Amino acid sequence: MDRRKKYTKMVLKDSFLKLLNQKQLSSITVKEICQLADINRSTFYSHYSDQYDLLYKMEEEIIADMNKYLNDCNLTKEEESLEVTEKLMEYIVENKEVCQTLLGENGDAAFLKKVMVVAKKNIIDNGFFGQPLHQDTAQYLSTFIVSGSIYVIKSWLANGMDKTPKELAIMINSFAKQGINSLLID
């Protein structure tokens, strides 16, 4: 992709995110995105069919990146599990605005579900539990872990990322693997 196309897509995405931070997706028009981006509508339509397509493609980029981080990792190994979680937190830092917006109040609920499906599948498939579990138990436990982790990340973003990616990764892994026992003081 040449530099002009990259720039155009970047400006359209940035403008879209600004609008999505202010209002619901259903209230955003292509005209508004183009005005804010200072791009004409025909240029927008050469890249995206509408604002929903733009959102979908942004979400798919994040899901693809998430899969890249999570695939081929052995979550039973504590060090590797922590390393993957830390890399995911660093990715969130690098893509703070996008992640904060898509996980925010005007974000797409379907995106949150996609993130949960990818994360749950990786937890179950990559041996996070360390031992076999009944399928229904694994589903409930992975839902519990992923839901909690997502809301910890949302809270972290809302608090201005007051912890380093490594500190948050340690926290999430400790909560997931040891639960409340990781917080108890002897």
Side-chain angles (χ1 to χ4, degrees), residues 4-183:
R4 286 180 303 147
K5 285 184 180 180
K6 280 184 180 178
Y7 174 78
T8 300
K9 284 186 167 191
M10 180 192 71
V11 171
L12 288 170
K13 288 175 184 178
D14 289 347
S15 298
F16 177 68
L17 287 173
K18 285 178 187 169
L19 291 168
L20 195 56
N21 276 321
Q22 298 168 6
K23 55 186 174 176
Q24 295 287 322
L25 174 63
S26 59
S27 302
I28 297 172
T29 65
V30 170
K31 182 179 178 181
E32 288 176 302
I33 297 168
C34 292
Q35 284 176 335
L36 190 57
D38 197 24
I39 302 283
N40 66 45
R41 288 172 62 148
S42 62
T43 303
F44 177 92
Y45 288 119
S46 69
H47 298 286
Y48 308 104
S49 59
D50 57 22
Q51 66 273 34
Y52 297 97
D53 183 44
L54 171 55
L55 176 64
Y56 175 79
K57 287 181 177 165
M58 289 174 69
E59 292 173 349
E60 287 304 304
E61 282 178 36
I62 290 174
I63 296 295
D65 289 342
M66 196 173 145
N67 272 318
K68 184 174 68 177
Y69 283 109
L70 293 174
N71 284 342
D72 301 325
C73 63
N74 183 351
L75 297 177
T76 58
K77 295 180 182 174
E78 187 61 35
E79 290 171 15
E80 195 171 330
S81 176
L82 182 59
E83 185 179 313
V84 169
T85 307
E86 185 177 356
K87 283 182 182 178
L88 284 169
M89 296 310 105
E90 288 169 353
Y91 175 82
I92 290 169
V93 169
E94 291 169 17
N95 297 280
K96 176 188 172 191
E97 187 178 348
V98 175
C99 292
Q100 204 164 26
T101 302
L102 295 180
L103 294 173
E105 67 180 61
N106 292 331
D108 181 14
F111 171 68
L112 192 54
K113 286 181 184 178
K114 288 180 202 173
V115 168
M116 288 187 69
V117 166
V118 168
K120 284 173 52 177
K121 181 180 180 336
N122 277 280
I123 283 175
I124 293 169
D125 292 351
N126 292 320
F128 180 81
F129 303 121
Q131 57 190 4
L133 293 176
H134 290 285
Q135 183 63 28
D136 61 334
T137 303
Q139 285 295 325
Y140 283 118
L141 187 54
S142 64
T143 298
F144 181 79
I145 291 168
V146 172
S147 296
S149 297
I150 287 172
Y151 281 90
V152 166
I153 292 167
K154 287 175 79 162
S155 180
W156 178 56
L157 287 166
N159 290 330
M161 294 185 289
D162 57 349
K163 305 238 177 265
T164 67
K166 184 173 189 130
E167 290 171 329
L168 194 68
I170 290 169
M171 229 185 241
I172 288 172
N173 277 23
S174 294
F175 295 164
K177 296 238 179 186
Q178 300 160 350
I180 196 165
N181 289 332
S182 68
L183 302 172

